[in-house]
Amino acid sequence: MNQASPGGAVRVVLVDDHAMFRAGVRAELAATGAGVVEVVGEAADADAAVAVVRDLRPQVVLLDVHLPGGGGVEVMRRQPSPDTCYLALSVSDAAEDVIGTIRGGARGYVTKTITGPELVDAITRVAGGDAVFSPRLAGFVLDAFAGSIDVAAVDEDLDRLTEREREVMRLIARGYAYKEVAKELYISVKTVETHMSSVLRKLQLSSRHELTKWASDRRLL
C-alpha cells in the first residue's frame, strides 16, 4: 500500500523528458506545496518511470503524455504500482491525447499552463480519489463518452508524425512563433525549424496557413 510522507504530504513522482521542466516543477511544488506534496523521485522516459514508480510506490505520478519509450499510456499499462494514481501534465491539449490518456488509466489531465497552487490542488484531489481536468479538457471527455468524438479512428496522416513533431505542429498551428514553441518545449529554435520542415513535408503541406486548416479539420487545436 502506498504511504504518505511523514507529516502527511502526498508522495509524488515526476515523469517528463525535459530536465529543466522537471526542475521547475519540483521547485514550484517545494515553494507552494511545502508540507502538502513532496517530490520523491523523477524519471525521463517510460522504462525509467516504471522502475521508479515500482520502487518508490508514490501516491501520485505527474506524467507527461509524450515520453521516449512508449509514452505515458505505456507506463500506466505496465502497472508498476497498482495503488498509484496518475495525473497527466502535458503541453498537449489535443482531444485524442486527453481521451487516450484517460482511457489508459489517468485520474486527471492538466496542461503545463497550470499555476503552482492549482497543481498542488490537483495532486491532492487526485490522491483523494477525485478526477481533475483543466476546464477546457473536461469537454473532450464528455464528448467522447457521448460519442461525438471518434477516438478510435486512426488518422494515417497524423500517424506519420513523431510525438515531438505532433507537439510542434499543434503549437505552430495555433499561431505560436518559433521562439515561443522553443520556449514551451525546451528545445532550440533550430530544432523547431527542423521539425516544422519535416511536418510540412510529411503532410504534403506548403505553409503554416495550410497546417492550421489541416489541424482544425481534425480537431487538434
Side-chain angles (χ1 to χ4, degrees):
M1 185 173 180
N2 300 10
Q3 300 293 324
S5 295
V10 177
R11 299 174 70 250
V12 175
V13 162
L14 177 58
V15 180
D16 192 285
D17 59 337
H18 300 298
M20 288 179 61
F21 179 76
R22 295 197 309 272
V25 171
R26 180 185 279 269
E28 185 64 33
L29 291 179
T32 61
V36 180
V37 299
E38 179 188 2
V39 177
V40 296
E42 299 181 9
D45 58 54
D47 289 339
V50 169
V52 169
V53 173
R54 181 184 295 121
D55 290 344
L56 298 179
R57 297 191 175 277
Q59 292 161 280
V60 175
V61 174
L62 287 180
L63 186 65
D64 194 7
V65 174
H66 300 299
L67 293 167
V73 172
E74 174 65 13
V75 175
M76 293 184 288
R77 185 190 68 78
R78 291 162 66 178
Q79 294 187 323
S81 175
D83 294 330
T84 294
C85 296
Y86 294 87
L87 174 61
L89 176 62
S90 178
V91 68
S92 171
D93 60 2
E96 77 274 12
D97 282 338
V98 176
I99 298 164
T101 302
I102 297 304
R103 286 186 167 177
R107 290 291 301 168
Y109 195 118
V110 294
T111 62
K112 291 181 178 179
T113 57
I114 194 169
T115 66
E118 288 171 342
L119 184 57
V120 171
D121 180 65
I123 291 169
T124 56
R125 288 172 59 193
V126 166
D130 289 345
V132 179
F133 301 94
S134 294
R136 176 172 177 266
L137 308 186
F140 292 154
V141 179
L142 293 174
D143 287 346
F145 282 104
S148 58
I149 294 180
D150 183 9
V151 296
V154 177
D155 189 314
E156 293 182 359
D157 288 337
L158 187 61
D159 202 44
R160 294 191 188 107
L161 305 182
T162 66
E163 292 178 352
R164 176 62 79 202
E165 287 169 350
R166 294 184 193 188
E167 291 177 331
V168 171
M169 175 271 294
R170 291 189 183 104
L171 294 175
I172 293 293
R174 290 172 187 156
Y176 280 55
Y178 285 180
K179 287 184 178 179
E180 294 172 322
V181 175
K183 181 179 179 181
E184 185 79 16
L185 299 181
Y186 297 92
I187 57 179
S188 70
V189 173
K190 182 64 176 178
T191 300
V192 174
E193 293 172 348
T194 299
H195 285 314
M196 183 60 175
S197 296
S198 180
V199 167
L200 293 177
R201 184 184 73 255
K202 289 180 179 180
L203 300 181
Q204 298 182 349
L205 302 173
S206 60
S207 68
R208 292 178 60 139
H209 175 74
E210 289 185 0
L211 179 63
T212 299
K213 184 178 185 306
W214 181 92
S216 178
D217 289 344
R218 288 158 178 78
R219 301 186 69 173
L220 299 177
L221 300 181

